């Protein structure tokens, strides 16, 4: 600060009058092709760039709105967990960081859980909110997954999870590490109840989130172009001291390496999920259904005689 | 022995003792023996003083001490008939994770652990204890083997973390860790883990989600390395000591948080000063923990294990 900023500039401002308020959120630059995108149009297009198809991050509630029939769903309350169990402090207190994030996003923590009808199928969906401390997984997020699993089992509905996370929340130390086994138990219980457990990996899904409930789904869907991996690209580069291959840790790379079932564009996500859920049915119900109805084909009869 | 920076005063005294011993080899001076025992008392006193109040950051150094006994040192002493088993049956054999059949206190078990190596050659062979997906898949295979034959599982955790590399990512490092944790939680045999050095993040929990988690007095167990945490939250790795304190990665804090079940005390001056002693203590603690678990039927065992992890985080630190 000097006399220019402190004294001269305010005086000038007073002379020319206050700066006109231009909403700074009217336009957004596409990280893929650098085109300037009109925000309202972008939102209408599910936050996908209409020039290059780049999938920008999407608001958690908006996701629920476009997935559920008629945009109707009920939020499921996530029981409160201990706040700042370690009394963690870096350059700032974790308790304050949490408050800031809550204030900024209007959310309790980095996950929301809901139930509703998707294509007429009662479905529980858990969505990460990346804007809440990078979607990091601490006890509250772990609790969200546990609650989502419990609810899915209680109402006999499939569970679909949309992770978007930088990994474990460091500020909760080993307690956040323990969310890895904790969320895996939750996922296991859903599967053991004979219900589909589907993971939709969105940008970005890394660290302890990828290495836990996000990689044990019945089906793994990756949203187009999402970064998905365990170690961060910078960590890898500094370890091996070489540049990373193009497309490394992107959805298409994971598909090629056998880690996900399908890569889907955002606009096709809902129809894909509905189709899969209809095909999977509800495990236990499918088992009761006869495999073949009608007369056994000739070939099969012949085989049986042998 | 590598001297840690906070033990320099002890090291000087120890050097003096060595020198006196050398002299006394040639003579029969009683005075020298007295002097040695006086110095030894002083060493013990100082060690007690230093090791009684190690800071978290000093514990990180002790936990990573190169002469600290490693997985294979424990196996060599504690496990009879050790029969190493190799390979993940998919891709490769990963020597960062050692595993096999053997007897602990006479009982057949499956033993799995991360090995860091103790000289340049063995460190490279074991990739400094940082496993790739094939290592975790081997661990899963051995856990399933244990489950099939009703053999208890004992794991030794000592790793900076899972290996961060292009090949590891290409082969699904995250999936391998996730499935390892899932396997730990699904086997219906007693599962005891001992964190003997560094319990580094996902690479550690992949082998540590058992019924009983034991931890050595000066070992560490953390969601991220203090250096990594400092470079992210402080934007400067030189704040690693602050991060080590904030992360609560010591056995004492983790016991209070209910993340581990038991602390195994180390000899005066840390495990690296008397490896044989600490190995014996670990053997006793493992045997006792297994004994307790063996009396529980497999269904309750599994239910209790799930409850244990579902209930974690109900208590914070005072």
């Amino acid at each position: 600060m000097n006399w220019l900023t402190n004294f001269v500039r305010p005086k000038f401002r007073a002379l020319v009058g206050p700066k006109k308020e231009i909403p700074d959120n009217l336009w957004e630059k596409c990280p893929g092709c650098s085109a300037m995108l009109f925000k309202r149009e972008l939102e209408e297009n599910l936050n996908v760039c209409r020039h290059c198809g780049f999938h920008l991050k999407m608001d958690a509630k908006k996701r629920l709105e476009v997935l559920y029939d008629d945009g109707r769903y009920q939020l499921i309350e996530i029981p409160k967990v201990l706040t700042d169990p370690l009394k963690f402090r870096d350059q700032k207190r974790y308790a304050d960081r949490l408050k800031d994030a809550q204030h900024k996003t209007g959310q309790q923590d980095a996950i929301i859980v809901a139930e509703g009808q998707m294509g007429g199928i009662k479905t529980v969906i858990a969505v990460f909110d990346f804007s809440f401390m990078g979607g990091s997984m601490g006890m509250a997020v772990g609790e969200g997954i546990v609650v989502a699993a419990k609810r899915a089992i209680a109402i006999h509905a499939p569970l679909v999870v949309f992770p978007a996370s930088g990994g474990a929340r460091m500020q909760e130390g080993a307690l956040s590490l323990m969310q890895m086994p904790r969320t895996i138990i939750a996922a296991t219980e859903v599967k053991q109840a004979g219900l589909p457990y589907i993971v939709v990996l969105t940008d970005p899904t890394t660290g302890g989130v990828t290495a836990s409930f996000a990689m044990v789904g019945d089906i793994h869907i990756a949203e187009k172009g999402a970064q998905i991996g365990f170690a961060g690209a910078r960590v890898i580069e500094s370890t091996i001291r070489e540049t990373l291959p193009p497309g490394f840790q992107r959805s298409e790379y994971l598909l090629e390496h056998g880690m996900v079932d399908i890569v889907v564009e955002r606009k096709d996500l809902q129809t894909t999920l509905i189709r899969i859920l209809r095909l999977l049915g509800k495990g236990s119900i499918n088992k009761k259904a006869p495999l073949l109805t009608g007369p056994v084909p000739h070939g099969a009869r012949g085989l049986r005689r042998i | 022995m590598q001297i840690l920076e906070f033990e320099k005063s002890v090291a000087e005294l120890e050097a003096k003792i060595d020198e006196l011993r050398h002299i006394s080899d040639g003579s029969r001076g009683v005075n020298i023996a007295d002097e040695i025992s006086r110095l030894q008392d002083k060493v013990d006193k100082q060690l007690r003083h230093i090791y009684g109040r190690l800071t978290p950051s000093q514990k990180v150094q002790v936990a990573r001490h190169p002469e600290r006994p490693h997985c294979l040192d424990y196996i060599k002493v504690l496990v009879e008939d050790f029969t190493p088993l190799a390979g993940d049956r998919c891709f490769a054999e990963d020597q960062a994770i050692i595993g096999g059949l053997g007897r602990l206190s006479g009982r057949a078990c499956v033993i799995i652990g991360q090995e860091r190596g103790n000289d340049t050659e063995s460190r490279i062979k074991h990739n400094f204890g940082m496993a790739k997906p094939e290592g975790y898949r081997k661990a899963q295979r051995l856990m399933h083997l244990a489950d099939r034959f009703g053999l208890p599982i004992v794991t030794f955790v000592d790793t900076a973390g899972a290996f961060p590399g292009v090949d590891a990512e290409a082969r699904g490092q995250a999936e391998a860790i996730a499935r390892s944790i899932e396997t730990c939680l699904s086997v219906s045999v007693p599962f005891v883990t001992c964190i003997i050095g560094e319990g580094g993040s996902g690479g550690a929990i992949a082998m540590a989600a058992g019924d009983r988690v034991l931890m050595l007095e000066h070992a560490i167990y953390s969601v991220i390395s203090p250096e990594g945490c400092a470079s992210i939250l402080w934007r400067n790795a030189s704040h690693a000591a602050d991060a080590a304190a904030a992360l609560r990665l010591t056995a004492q804090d983790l016991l209070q948080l209910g993340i581990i079940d038991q602390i195994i005390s180390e000899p005066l001056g840390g495990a690296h000063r008397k490896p044989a002693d600490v190995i014996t203590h670990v053997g006793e603690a493992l045997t006792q923990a297994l004994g307790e678990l063996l009396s529980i039927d497999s269904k309750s065992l599994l239910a209790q294990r799930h409850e244990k992890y579902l209930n974690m985080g109900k208590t914070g630190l005072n």
Side-chain angles (χ1 to χ4, degrees), chain A residues 150-161:
Chain A
K150 276 190 185 155
R151 187 65 192 157
I153 295 165
I155 63 170
H156 205 64
L159 172 62
V160 184
V161 183

Side-chain angles (χ1 to χ4, degrees), chain A residues 82 85-91 97 139 146 168-171 173-182 184-186 188-189 191 210-212 215-217 220 228-231 235-236 239-240 242 244-245 248-249 253 257 259, chain B residues 137 162-166 169-175 177-179 181-182 185 201-203 205 209 221-224 228-229 232-235 243 246-248 254 257 259 305-307 309-318:
Chain A
L82 278 182
L86 308 186
K87 311 267 180 286
F88 192 98
R89 187 191 184 122
D90 46 81
Q91 289 168 308
R97 279 188 199 269
M139 291 200 295
V146 171
R169 188 169 296 168
M170 286 171 284
Q171 292 91 339
L175 283 170
S176 58
L177 187 67
M178 293 303 128
Q179 302 312 310
M180 295 172 72
R182 201 156 175 257
I184 286 178
I185 292 170
T188 305
E189 286 180 358
K191 291 191 274 185
T210 325
S212 61
M215 272 290 153
V216 295
H220 295 167
I228 306 158
F230 177 63
V235 177
I236 298 172
T239 313
I240 57 166
E242 59 184 66
L244 301 170
F248 179 64
Q249 286 187 331
Y253 179 90
H257 287 86
M259 286 299 135
Chain B
R137 292 189 179 120
F163 184 68
V166 176
E169 293 288 320
R171 292 195 291 277
Q173 187 70 291
E175 195 265 359
I177 292 171
R179 291 278 174 213
I181 301 172
E182 190 184 50
L185 296 166
S201 191
I205 186 70
Y221 190 14
S222 180
V223 66
I224 185 169
C229 179
I232 298 171
L233 291 182
W234 278 263
R235 298 180 194 284
L247 283 166
R248 307 289 183 164
L254 295 170
L257 286 167
I259 287 171
R305 196 182 305 151
H306 284 199
E307 280 305 304
Y309 288 95
L310 282 176
N311 288 333
M312 257 178 202
K314 298 268 182 262
T315 51
L317 289 174
N318 299 327

Side-chain angles (χ1 to χ4, degrees), chain A residues 95-303:
Chain A
D96 292 337
R97 279 188 199 269
L98 261 182
K99 266 187 218 140
D100 289 352
Q102 285 166 346
H103 184 73
K104 193 182 89 181
T105 60
Q107 303 292 340
Q108 269 307 300
D109 212 291
I111 194 169
I112 51 175
V113 181
E115 68 176 275
Q117 303 273 330
M118 186 171 64
I121 305 166
K122 200 163 47 177
T123 310
V124 175
I125 302 181
V127 186
F128 275 63
D129 183 351
F130 189 77
S131 63
F132 194 108
M133 295 188 77
S136 54
M137 176 166 74
M139 291 200 295
V141 167
E143 191 67 21
I145 299 285
V146 171
V147 163
K150 276 190 185 155
R151 187 65 192 157
I153 295 165
I155 63 170
H156 205 64
L159 172 62
V160 184
V161 183
F162 286 75
S165 172
R169 188 169 296 168
M170 286 171 284
Q171 292 91 339
E172 292 185 21
L175 283 170
S176 58
L177 187 67
M178 293 303 128
Q179 302 312 310
M180 295 172 72
R182 201 156 175 257
T183 54
I184 286 178
I185 292 170
T188 305
E189 286 180 358
V190 173
K191 291 191 274 185
Q192 279 174 352
L195 298 163
Y197 169 55
I198 298 180
V199 184
V200 183
L201 300 139
T202 71
D203 186 56
T205 303
T206 58
V209 167
T210 325
S212 61
F213 67 88
M215 272 290 153
V216 295
D218 289 311
I219 301 219
H220 295 167
I221 299 174
E223 210 172 52
K224 189 187 163 191
Q227 191 204 345
I228 306 158
F230 177 63
R234 256 180 304 157
V235 177
I236 298 172
E237 267 179 333
S238 67
T239 313
I240 57 166
R241 301 191 186 284
E242 59 184 66
T243 48
L244 301 170
F248 179 64
Q249 286 187 331
R250 294 285 154 188
S251 298
E252 298 70 18
Y253 179 90
L254 269 90
L255 182 73
E256 201 180 304
H257 287 86
M259 286 299 135
V260 299
D261 293 284
I262 325 169
V263 175
V264 174
E265 285 188 38
R266 194 172 284 157
K267 66 176 168 56
D268 301 326
L269 209 45
Q270 193 209 31
T271 51
T272 309
L273 280 170
I274 293 170
R275 191 170 68 242
I276 289 172
L277 288 179
R278 282 190 183 143
L279 287 167
L280 287 176
K282 284 182 179 174
S284 49
I285 297 168
N286 264 2
K287 270 179 216 152
K288 282 177 206 147
L291 270 177
L292 284 172
T293 47
V296 182
H298 270 306
R301 247 187 250 146
L303 276 175

Side-chain angles (χ1 to χ4, degrees), chain B residues 96-286:
Chain B
I97 291 179
I98 302 292
L101 295 162
R103 280 179 203 282
L104 184 80
S105 302
R107 180 175 295 279
C109 297
V110 162
I111 295 106
I112 311 169
Q114 286 129 342
E115 172 59 43
R116 307 174 84 117
N118 44 25
D119 53 31
T120 309
E121 196 186 335
S122 65
R123 279 183 198 125
I124 290 167
K125 176 180 163 196
H126 298 293
N127 197 28
F128 300 83
M130 294 188 288
K132 294 179 182 176
E134 42 275 24
Y136 293 109
R137 292 189 179 120
K138 172 169 81 174
Q140 290 162 41
R141 186 173 74 82
L142 298 182
M143 288 186 227
H144 285 301
L145 183 79
D147 199 21
R148 198 165 114 67
F149 291 94
L151 305 174
I153 298 169
V154 174
T155 64
F156 293 102
V157 172
D158 191 12
T159 182
F163 184 68
V166 176
D167 51 345
E169 293 288 320
R171 292 195 291 277
Q173 187 70 291
E175 195 265 359
I177 292 171
R179 291 278 174 213
S180 273
I181 301 172
E182 190 184 50
T183 310
C184 290
L185 296 166
S186 73
V187 290
S188 52
V189 291
F191 191 133
V192 183
T193 283
C194 186
I195 298 159
I196 53 174
E198 187 173 11
S201 191
I205 186 70
M207 299 193 351
D211 299 307
R212 292 275 192 284
V213 182
L214 318 180
M215 188 164 167
L216 284 185
E217 189 183 348
H218 305 308
I220 56 164
Y221 190 14
S222 180
V223 66
I224 185 169
S225 71
E227 295 80 5
C229 179
S231 69
I232 298 171
L233 291 182
W234 278 263
R235 298 180 194 284
N236 188 342
S238 67
H239 280 277
D242 297 325
L247 283 166
R248 307 289 183 164
L249 41 65
T250 68
Q252 293 70 29
D253 280 343
L254 295 170
L255 185 69
Q256 210 186 329
L257 286 167
I259 287 171
I260 62 160
D261 300 292
Q262 188 186 331
I263 298 175
I264 303 171
S265 51
E266 292 189 26
L268 186 58
H272 56 284
R273 277 200 165 71
K274 286 186 180 137
D277 287 12
V278 79
I279 292 172
T280 313
H281 287 162
V282 167
E284 286 162 3
L286 287 174

Side-chain angles (χ1 to χ4, degrees), chain A residues 18-145:
Chain A
K19 209 165 127 193
K20 265 185 209 140
E21 279 300 311
I22 300 169
D24 56 353
N25 55 356
L26 219 51
W27 296 89
E28 191 157 339
K29 194 173 166 182
C30 171
C33 65
S34 300
M36 288 308 284
L37 305 168
F38 191 44
K39 198 94 183 239
R40 209 173 57 207
E41 252 178 44
L42 183 65
E43 272 167 24
E44 275 165 18
N45 201 30
L46 304 173
N47 270 27
V48 174
C49 173
R50 64 191 164 85
H51 303 287
C52 71
F54 187 93
H55 285 48
L56 286 85
K57 289 191 180 59
M58 193 178 183
D59 177 70
K61 282 206 167 143
K62 178 83 186 172
R63 243 187 219 289
L64 292 175
E65 211 180 290
V66 297
L67 286 167
Y68 282 119
D69 298 345
D70 308 319
R72 284 210 323 233
Y73 60 89
Q74 286 166 297
L75 285 176
I76 297 166
E77 201 187 325
I78 301 168
K80 280 247 162 72
V81 294
L82 278 182
T83 312
D84 190 12
L86 308 186
K87 311 267 180 286
F88 192 98
R89 187 191 184 122
D90 46 81
Q91 289 168 308
K92 207 171 162 183
R93 284 169 56 209
Y94 171 46
D96 292 337
R97 279 188 199 269
L98 261 182
K99 266 187 218 140
D100 289 352
Q102 285 166 346
H103 184 73
K104 193 182 89 181
T105 60
Q107 303 292 340
Q108 269 307 300
D109 212 291
I111 194 169
I112 51 175
V113 181
E115 68 176 275
Q117 303 273 330
M118 186 171 64
I121 305 166
K122 200 163 47 177
T123 310
V124 175
I125 302 181
V127 186
F128 275 63
D129 183 351
F130 189 77
S131 63
F132 194 108
M133 295 188 77
S136 54
M137 176 166 74
M139 291 200 295
V141 167
E143 191 67 21
I145 299 285

